[in-house]
Amino acid sequence: QQQVKQSPQSLIVQKGGIPIINCAYENTAFDYFPWYQQFPGKGPALLIAIRPDVSEKKEGRFTISFNKSAKQFSLHIMDSQPGDSATYFCAASMPGNQFYFGTGTSLTVIP
Amino acid sequence: DTGVSQDPRHKITKRGQNVTFRCDPISEHNRLYWYRQTLGQGPEFLTYFQNEAQLEKSRLLSDRFSAERPKGSFSTLEIQRTEQGDSAMYLCASSFWREGSNEQFFGPGTRLTVL
């Protein structure tokens, strides 16, 4: 059973566009929600993370929106660039515990 | 470079052989995690250590898999009698766990191909 459901599977946007990637979870014990960026052949790199006591967090061009009642969270990438082309994974965890990852979204930013 | 390192980066082996991977976490990180990632999927948890103690193992970790972290620093993951289904990227992550913190930093992974 997939603990974290991620959509879409793939996404193509023009340079400067705002891709949005969505994730949903069921376990209300989750209290930490990170997003990772992964390039081919590399390990995942932490982009940004949020806890359920805030509804939005922004770091540079990356913003997480969090809806606790709907058990959903999303990643927005402002002013997307071709260098942002990568696979993005959401994840969730309980305090100090393993991460449950989504299935990933392959993002392509067209110049 | 003070990030998580893994060795080797690539391993090709024949079915039935044993393989061992090494992970060196960020220094002073007390937790170390192993994940497995297959093509087109997110990482799946295998096991984790706090210092030298192995605290949790996934049901994915069959008895052919064993992990150690003998001195609470580096860790090894051994797969015995490899099968073609073991082909995957094996990722290591580390964190400095304390109340309210769960940032995990990943290494570059070891790509295993079982022929």
Side-chain angles (χ1 to χ4, degrees), chain B residues 2-19:
Chain B
T2 57
V4 178
S5 61
Q6 292 187 245
D7 184 69
R9 295 293 309 278
H10 303 274
K11 179 71 177 178
I12 300 174
T13 191
K14 293 182 179 178
R15 186 164 49 98
Q17 298 295 303
N18 299 344
V19 294

Side-chain angles (χ1 to χ4, degrees), chain A residues 9-103:
Chain A
Q9 187 174 5
S10 63
L11 194 51
I12 300 173
V13 299
Q14 296 277 357
K15 177 183 172 183
I18 305 176
I20 301 172
I21 305 170
N22 302 297
C23 285
Y25 65 96
E26 287 298 324
N27 191 337
T28 55
F30 289 149
D31 77 336
Y32 180 75
F33 302 89
W35 284 90
Y36 281 83
Q37 178 189 58
Q38 188 175 30
F39 293 104
K42 306 290 186 184
L46 178 64
L47 269 180
I48 185 172
I50 198 167
R51 295 196 178 274
D53 51 348
V54 298
S55 60
E56 185 175 281
K57 183 174 181 181
K58 186 178 294 188
E59 286 185 4
R61 295 185 295 108
F62 301 96
T63 299
I64 300 181
S65 297
F66 189 86
N67 185 329
K68 188 174 180 179
S69 60
K71 292 185 283 187
Q72 294 175 349
F73 58 110
S74 59
L75 176 70
H76 302 233
I77 305 175
M78 306 303 175
D79 187 27
S80 57
Q81 302 295 315
D84 296 330
S85 297
T87 300
Y88 292 81
F89 292 96
C90 62
S93 76
M94 288 176 276
N97 217 311
Q98 58 166 296
F99 284 176
Y100 295 92
F101 282 87
T103 50

Side-chain angles (χ1 to χ4, degrees), chain B:
Chain B
D1 188 349
T2 57
V4 178
S5 61
Q6 292 187 245
D7 184 69
R9 295 293 309 278
H10 303 274
K11 179 71 177 178
I12 300 174
T13 191
K14 293 182 179 178
R15 186 164 49 98
Q17 298 295 303
N18 299 344
V19 294
T20 300
F21 310 140
R22 176 179 170 126
C23 171
D24 286 88
I26 295 170
S27 64
E28 300 180 357
H29 276 193
N30 53 6
R31 287 201 172 177
L32 186 149
Y33 301 79
W34 285 100
Y35 291 83
R36 181 171 69 187
Q37 185 178 25
T38 54
L39 205 59
Q41 298 296 316
E44 293 177 296
F45 169 77
L46 293 178
T47 187
Y48 86 93
F49 295 82
Q50 175 150 323
N51 300 314
E52 64 273 11
Q54 189 172 19
L55 295 188
E56 188 174 347
K57 291 193 290 186
S58 163
R59 281 171 289 183
L60 290 176
L61 210 66
S62 77
D63 56 6
R64 297 185 297 106
F65 289 69
S66 62
E68 294 183 341
R69 194 183 183 198
K71 297 181 180 178
S73 57
F74 74 91
S75 175
T76 58
L77 177 69
E78 182 183 17
I79 309 174
Q80 296 182 325
R81 305 181 302 282
T82 53
E83 301 172 357
Q84 287 186 324
D86 296 332
S87 295
M89 174 82 89
Y90 289 83
L91 292 163
C92 174
S94 71
S95 70
F96 182 73
W97 186 78
R98 57 188 179 277
E99 193 69 34
S101 171
N102 197 20
E103 288 185 339
Q104 293 184 22
F105 298 90
F106 282 81
T110 294
R111 167 79 62 191
L112 173 66
T113 302
V114 181
L115 302 176

